[in-house]
Amino acid sequence: MSIASQSQANITVGLGFLERVMLSTLTTVPCFIFFSINVIMLFTLRSKLVFCETSRYILLYNLLFADTVQMALSQLLYILSICRIMLTYPVCGVLVMIANLTNEVSPLTLVLMSLERYVAVCYPLRHATIITIRNTAVAIIVVWAFCSLNVLTRVLLLLHFPFEDLESLQMREFCGTLVMFLVPISDDYDKAYTCFLFVSATVAIISSYIGVMVAARSASTDKASAHKARNTLLLHLVQLGLSLLSTMHNSFLVAISKIVSRTVLVRILNVFYVFIIMLPRCLSALIYGLRDQTIRPILVYHLCCRLKLSVVSAKAEVSS
């Protein structure tokens, strides 16, 4: 299901060296910025004790960690394709497995975050007893275990492929998820699992949203808290939609490939890679970092600290 990794396959085929350098530069720079923002946000969420002892911040950290690992793997595979480096099947398989694992953790973490907001609004008196640090940790472990089981299933499906008939384990194509669909059943399983995952996540988030809307009409509910939770759930739904859009990435490219040349298709692929695959994985850091009153000042401080230090140093040199 990791479209972020499978988009790297053959991403620069058909382009000249100069154009490949230009496209890779225009693509790598924004991706590096997105990655840096995520890393700073992860550091921010570990800089204060309150972030380590609050369930919603722990869940946010888990979401950002999965997105950041996925972003790093995507960029690694992109650079490998730019450099025309072919991997072996075992190495590619490990990278794809990790990419699949982190890519599937994200929507399930969004579900947990939605349920946490639902409990906070609909059961405010029981929130502290239901959403504990221990329960949050257990929920995160269950998510990773469930996704790991799915990855293990994909590995078992690969055992049907006759690797002993290959002359060499060296791949003839760039590493990507689609390349590792060596047997037809792998592709069928991937489509079925993806459909199940996103339908289940969508139902869970929409149900939480409806529950919050109903609770907001109650006289005993904090209107401001319910309004904020409703907006948060809408953002979760948008994030899930962006993840689904990236999953449909290949279908768009197949449709576009029928009406444009291969060179134009590769250029479009690079644009899609930045705005449909990489940017959504940075939105969580930007959305929560700027919306949350507790995170915002610390995040802004860490984002701007180097700038402030350089300005102070410059003033010191001028005064001296």
Side-chain angles (χ1 to χ4, degrees):
M1 191 184 76
S2 177
I3 306 302
S5 62
Q6 70 190 34
S7 67
Q8 316 316 317
N10 301 321
I11 198 170
T12 56
V13 172
L15 297 181
F17 175 76
L18 181 59
E19 188 168 12
R20 281 195 293 125
V21 172
M22 292 178 61
L23 276 177
S24 62
T25 302
L26 292 174
T27 302
T28 302
V29 170
C31 291
F32 176 77
I33 295 174
F34 299 156
F35 180 79
S36 299
I37 293 174
N38 272 27
V39 171
I40 292 174
M41 185 65 172
L42 287 172
F43 177 78
T44 300
L45 290 173
R46 282 294 176 265
S47 63
K48 297 292 183 180
L49 188 61
V50 63
F51 299 138
C52 301
E53 296 181 346
T54 306
S55 294
R56 63 193 180 101
Y57 293 132
I58 295 174
L59 292 172
L60 176 58
Y61 184 91
N62 186 65
L63 174 65
L64 287 172
F65 176 77
D67 284 344
T68 304
V69 173
Q70 177 63 236
M71 192 182 298
L73 286 174
S74 299
Q75 193 60 24
L76 172 62
L77 293 175
Y78 179 87
I79 293 173
L80 289 175
S81 68
I82 287 289
C83 299
R84 305 295 178 87
I85 297 176
M86 304 292 183
L87 302 179
T88 61
Y89 279 105
V91 174
C92 180
V94 171
L95 293 177
V96 168
M97 282 191 296
I98 299 175
N100 281 328
L101 176 62
T102 54
N103 195 58
E104 291 158 10
V105 166
S106 296
L108 292 179
T109 304
L110 286 174
V111 172
L112 293 180
M113 296 173 71
S114 300
L115 294 176
E116 188 275 332
R117 287 294 85 197
Y118 170 79
V119 174
V121 174
C122 298
Y123 303 98
L125 299 179
R126 300 179 57 190
H127 180 266
T129 57
I130 297 176
I131 311 298
T132 62
I133 301 299
R134 180 179 179 277
N135 291 343
T136 302
V138 170
I140 291 175
I141 291 173
V142 169
V143 165
W144 282 89
F146 178 78
C147 295
S148 299
L149 181 62
N150 172 60
V151 171
L152 178 61
T153 303
R154 296 170 190 267
V155 174
L156 293 177
L157 291 175
L158 287 177
L159 297 180
H160 294 282
F161 184 77
F163 285 100
E164 62 276 3
D165 295 340
L166 294 176
E167 296 180 1
S168 171
L169 291 178
Q170 182 68 40
M171 300 180 66
R172 297 182 179 179
E173 299 180 76
F174 298 124
C175 180
T177 299
L178 290 181
V179 179
M180 294 304 295
F181 287 165
L182 300 176
V183 290
I185 192 173
S186 295
D187 188 29
D188 295 336
Y189 174 80
D190 181 77
K191 292 178 180 177
Y193 179 83
T194 301
C195 181
F196 168 77
L197 179 65
F198 279 98
V199 168
S200 302
T202 302
V203 170
I205 295 176
I206 291 178
S207 299
S208 300
Y209 179 81
I210 294 174
V212 169
M213 289 290 291
V214 172
R217 297 182 179 182
S218 172
S220 60
T221 302
D222 184 353
K223 303 299 181 182
S225 176
H227 179 74
K228 188 175 181 179
R230 184 191 64 184
N231 292 339
T232 300
L233 291 173
L234 283 176
L235 287 174
H236 290 171
L237 199 57
V238 170
Q239 289 174 278
L240 187 65
L242 290 173
S243 297
L244 181 59
L245 183 64
S246 67
T247 304
M248 299 170 62
H249 168 261
N250 265 18
S251 300
F252 294 148
L253 292 179
V254 170
I256 294 174
S257 65
K258 298 178 181 179
I259 57 177
V260 300
S261 65
R262 185 177 183 84
T263 303
V264 174
L265 178 64
V266 173
R267 293 168 183 164
I268 294 175
L269 180 59
N270 278 269
V271 175
F272 276 18
Y273 170 65
V274 174
F275 290 99
I276 296 182
I277 293 177
M278 298 298 283
L279 179 58
R281 303 189 183 283
C282 181
L283 286 181
S284 296
L286 293 175
I287 289 172
Y288 294 100
L290 297 178
R291 286 183 73 243
D292 194 287
Q293 299 297 329
T294 307
I295 298 177
R296 185 193 305 171
I298 303 175
L299 177 62
V300 171
Y301 170 78
H302 288 307
L303 286 173
C304 302
C305 64
R306 291 185 179 274
L307 178 61
K308 291 180 179 179
L309 289 175
S310 63
V311 171
V312 171
S313 300
K315 289 182 178 179
E317 291 178 1
V318 171
S319 61
S320 61

